[in-house]
Amino acid sequence: MVNKAIFKTYLGKLLPGTDTKNHAAAPAYRLTPREALAQYAVTGTFNGTFYADGAEQLEAVRALAVEVEPEFVAKVAVYAAERGHMKDMPVMLLSLLSSLQSDVFACAFPRVVKSGKMLRGFVQVMRSGAAGRKSLGTRPKKAVQAWLEHASTMQVLRAMVGNDPSLADVIRMVHPRPATPERQAFYAWALGKPHDYAALPDVVKALQAFRRDQTQPLPDVPFQLLTSLALTREHWVEIAVKGGWQMLRQNLNTFARNGVFEVEGVAEAIARRLADPDEIHRSKVFPYQLMMAWKMVDGQVPEVVRDALQDAMDIAIGNVPSLAGHVVLCPDVSGSMGSSVTGYRQGATSAVRCIDVAALMTAAFLQRNPQARVLPFANNVVNVSLNRRDTVMTNAEKLVAVGGGGTNCSAPLRALANEKAEVDLVVFISDNESWVDATRGGHATAVMEEWARIKRVNPAAKLVCLDIQPYATTQAPTRDDVLNIGGFSDAVYGVIASFAAGTNGADGWVKTIEATEL
């Protein structure tokens, strides 16, 4: 009799052998250069992660960028900025493009650099030498000049918030040619040089007047240009009422400390703005940012404002798809998921952890797909009781509370295979660094072995591996029934829904990026 332990029969394709190792030193599959670059672009921040530091990310991105054509690099940069809402990675990709003999740099630059913050980030990357040069060069210099020449007065004022480099540094580097006396005076003022006061924009005159005398009307400028002054409660109320949506979300505790919510009607007005659907969609807020804002507000922030953050969360996840069939959600709650989702950097580490994002995405999927099963995993499947009628915040916190242990991505698949469960779609939300279930090098991963068992019972089942860290390996290689996708913005939901419905294949994510028009 043939030894069935060796000569296994699998439904469909033979299981592929692994071709690399992940950062946990366990066998894995290498993503294609396009998939890997896209994953880095929507998850990488050049900060230290649980398994790798920022320098490794930088080297990986540089190596991947030369393996694909410049046009794809440009499209990834635009996608990461516009759909992934990333900051550092798009400007890094731009800096790499700037030294290539291609016209796509000029096409991608205005799509990526839409704010003064992104402009200063691009200049800093170029000055750092990370892209192979420490000066801007002709094309990047012209692109920065063009941004300054076309920017509104308010855009330039917003660009003045922040240093390393400051906007004044940027102006000194590129020497923009002011087209009007007003812009000439504005640049001179920004540089601290003698200028024609009469030619300054009215808003800058108002700022100057307020700096001299705080009884003057509060100027309509970024509030960071005012915080060194002796502001009254009335000033803070006006700042809050006039502020942008993201600024409101980020400064609720500051407003509370300065007595803003003590003024009648202000809390209700801010709550209405926080829960305004149009403002939420325009802000491009990550749902996890709302979750953390809700968790971080202190007791001085009124309940009506805290409730508005929950309302905003429900709106922000409104495009989470409702998926047909038997759906299984597998959030990774292992120890490595306790690391910061944007990585570690001294003095600037986000309080948001990978497990917070995984838990929130799972809870959001569950709210839209109340019949879905949730199988959290670490060393093994973790038993967590979730109430489908609870809020997204409540269910996410239940998942966060069980974190710890090793990573065993095959555990939930083994549980499903053992019970011969009906399965149409399995969605993993993980850093994908499985090692507890490591197989011998060259053999298929345990994930693929268990997936093959599931496919015997459910031949049409599909697997989604949603990765929220930039490691460029997977436990399940992309094929007709396996989608690898990275990121934590709302852009991932549409790709998953299309894959589940069969309207896009497993290469749908890369094709979405390739469809980006420059």
Side-chain angles (χ1 to χ4, degrees):
M1 187 70 178
V2 172
N3 185 342
K4 293 183 179 179
I6 297 177
F7 299 102
K8 297 180 180 180
T9 300
Y10 292 107
L11 181 65
K13 298 179 181 178
L14 292 175
L15 294 183
T18 58
D19 57 5
T20 189
K21 289 190 176 182
N22 61 22
H23 284 272
Y29 301 99
R30 196 187 312 274
L31 294 175
T32 68
R34 290 187 171 214
E35 289 176 322
L37 184 62
Q39 187 194 60
Y40 273 104
V42 295
T43 62
T45 59
F46 299 116
N47 295 331
T49 61
F50 188 86
Y51 290 104
D53 61 27
E56 289 181 64
Q57 291 184 42
L58 176 59
E59 288 303 316
V61 170
R62 285 197 292 214
L64 289 166
V66 299
E67 291 191 57
V68 301
E69 63 275 18
E71 185 178 12
F72 185 74
V73 176
K75 290 181 176 183
V76 169
V78 171
Y79 180 91
E82 294 184 346
R83 303 289 302 279
H85 313 326
M86 302 299 285
K87 301 293 188 295
D88 293 349
M89 191 64 72
V91 295
M92 176 60 198
L93 294 174
L94 272 185
S95 69
L96 294 173
L97 283 171
S98 70
S99 60
L100 300 178
Q101 296 301 313
S102 172
D103 294 333
V104 293
F105 168 78
C107 299
F109 187 92
R111 298 279 298 278
V112 171
V113 180
K114 291 186 177 180
S115 69
K117 183 176 182 179
M118 296 290 275
L119 182 79
R120 291 188 297 103
F122 171 74
V123 172
Q124 176 56 27
V125 170
M126 292 296 296
R127 291 200 312 176
S128 72
R133 62 201 300 178
K134 291 193 175 181
S135 62
L136 288 182
T138 302
R139 285 198 300 171
K141 183 177 179 180
K142 287 183 177 179
V144 174
Q145 287 174 334
W147 190 94
L148 289 168
E149 289 165 6
H150 293 97
S152 67
T153 297
M154 189 55 65
Q155 286 177 306
V156 177
L157 281 171
R158 291 195 187 103
M160 293 181 67
V161 177
N163 294 295
D164 299 325
S166 67
L167 181 67
D169 294 331
V170 175
I171 293 173
R172 291 188 188 99
M173 273 186 276
V174 303
H175 305 291
R177 297 177 180 176
T180 64
E182 179 184 275
R183 187 51 64 98
Q184 182 176 11
F186 192 10
Y187 287 156
W189 171 80
L191 293 171
K193 292 183 175 182
H195 55 273
D196 180 0
Y197 180 84
L200 284 174
D202 289 341
V203 69
V204 176
K205 293 177 185 176
L207 173 60
Q208 291 286 73
F210 186 79
R211 284 176 170 174
R212 290 191 300 267
D213 179 5
Q214 278 81 65
T215 64
Q216 295 294 312
L218 189 77
D220 186 15
V221 298
F223 82 100
Q224 294 91 337
L225 300 178
L226 306 173
T227 50
S228 62
L229 305 173
L231 300 178
T232 65
R233 183 175 70 177
E234 288 68 28
H235 289 141
W236 280 106
V237 168
E238 191 172 348
I239 288 171
V241 171
K242 290 182 176 180
W245 191 94
Q246 286 280 28
M247 188 274 279
L248 284 179
R249 174 187 67 82
Q250 294 168 340
N251 292 278
L252 294 173
N253 289 340
T254 300
F255 295 148
R257 285 195 304 272
N258 288 281
V260 168
F261 298 121
E262 297 169 13
V263 177
E264 184 177 356
V266 173
E268 290 75 15
I270 289 177
R272 284 193 295 273
R273 286 199 58 202
L274 286 173
D276 184 298
D278 291 336
E279 293 213 47
I280 292 166
H281 292 141
R282 280 197 301 269
S283 73
K284 298 181 180 180
V285 63
F286 286 128
Y288 78 72
Q289 291 173 321
L290 286 166
M291 178 186 181
M292 294 312 296
W294 178 74
K295 291 175 69 172
M296 297 296 288
V297 292
D298 59 34
Q300 292 178 285
V301 177
E303 185 174 353
V304 66
V305 176
R306 296 198 299 271
D307 288 345
L309 289 172
Q310 292 208 57
D311 293 339
M313 169 66 75
D314 290 337
I315 295 166
I317 64 173
N319 61 346
V320 175
S322 178
L323 303 167
H326 298 87
V327 178
V328 183
L329 307 170
C330 302
D332 183 348
V333 295
S334 65
S336 62
M337 295 288 283
S339 62
S340 171
V341 72
T342 56
Y344 295 107
R345 184 177 63 183
Q346 188 172 1
T349 298
S350 170
V352 184
R353 301 166 299 168
C354 294
I355 194 170
D356 295 315
V357 174
L360 180 61
M361 284 187 148
T362 302
F365 268 117
L366 185 62
Q367 186 181 75
R368 296 300 305 276
N369 301 273
Q371 302 308 312
R373 292 182 64 179
V374 180
L375 297 179
F377 68 92
N379 290 72
N380 295 293
V381 172
V382 180
N383 185 27
V384 180
S385 178
L386 301 180
N387 186 335
R388 287 162 171 77
R389 295 187 178 183
D390 277 342
T391 65
V392 169
M393 301 285 200
T394 301
N395 280 329
E397 289 195 317
K398 287 181 181 179
L399 287 168
V400 166
V402 299
T407 307
N408 183 357
C409 289
S410 65
L413 297 179
R414 183 176 299 112
L416 293 169
N418 286 346
E419 67 179 71
K420 294 182 171 59
E422 289 187 74
V423 174
D424 292 297
L425 180 71
V426 178
V427 179
F428 274 80
I429 307 171
S430 173
D431 63 6
N432 221 10
E433 294 297 295
S434 195
W435 57 269
V436 172
D437 56 352
T439 58
R440 286 182 296 162
H443 288 237
T445 59
V447 165
M448 289 304 292
E449 291 178 353
E450 298 302 334
W451 184 240
R453 292 177 62 205
I454 290 173
K455 293 283 284 186
R456 293 177 194 167
V457 179
N458 305 276
K462 294 183 177 181
L463 174 65
V464 174
C465 298
L466 172 55
D467 207 319
I468 56 177
Q469 287 286 268
Y471 293 134
T473 65
T474 179
Q475 292 293 295
T478 300
R479 61 184 202 179
D480 292 346
D481 59 337
V482 179
L483 169 68
N484 281 288
I485 185 172
F488 31 75
S489 76
D490 59 0
V492 302
Y493 297 130
V495 178
I496 292 173
S498 295
F499 174 66
T503 53
N504 264 340
D507 59 352
W509 183 37
V510 170
K511 282 188 174 179
T512 298
I513 295 172
E514 290 175 336
T516 302
E517 294 186 5
L518 295 175

